């Protein structure tokens, strides 16, 4: 019985990691989050004197 459980642990761990990866990718592809990140990036570029030339 214990050997059966030990044999199942690696596939279960891999399945959990795979699901976590998919959730992370889907969250990163969220259009609202992408738009907010782009707005933050543009604001940071406007505030950075190295990009504006001084």
């Amino acid at each position: 019985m214990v050997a059966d459980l030990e044999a199942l642990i690696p596939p279960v761990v891999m399945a959990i990691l795979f699901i976590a990866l998919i959730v992370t990718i889907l969250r990163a592809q969220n259009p609202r989050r992408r738009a907010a990140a782009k707005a933050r990036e543009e604001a940071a570029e406007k505030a950075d004197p190295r990009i504006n030339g001084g």
Side-chain angles (χ1 to χ4, degrees), residues 20-40:
L21 176 67
I22 297 301
V23 168
T24 302
I25 290 171
L26 290 176
R27 284 187 179 166
Q29 295 300 319
N30 184 334
R32 284 183 293 186
R33 286 183 185 233
R34 290 176 70 188
K38 188 173 183 179
R40 284 193 307 270

Side-chain angles (χ1 to χ4, degrees), residues 30-52:
N30 184 334
R32 284 183 293 186
R33 286 183 185 233
R34 290 176 70 188
K38 188 173 183 179
R40 284 193 307 270
E41 184 177 334
E42 289 175 356
E45 286 179 359
K46 288 179 185 175
D48 193 339
R50 295 174 295 176
I51 295 174
N52 291 335

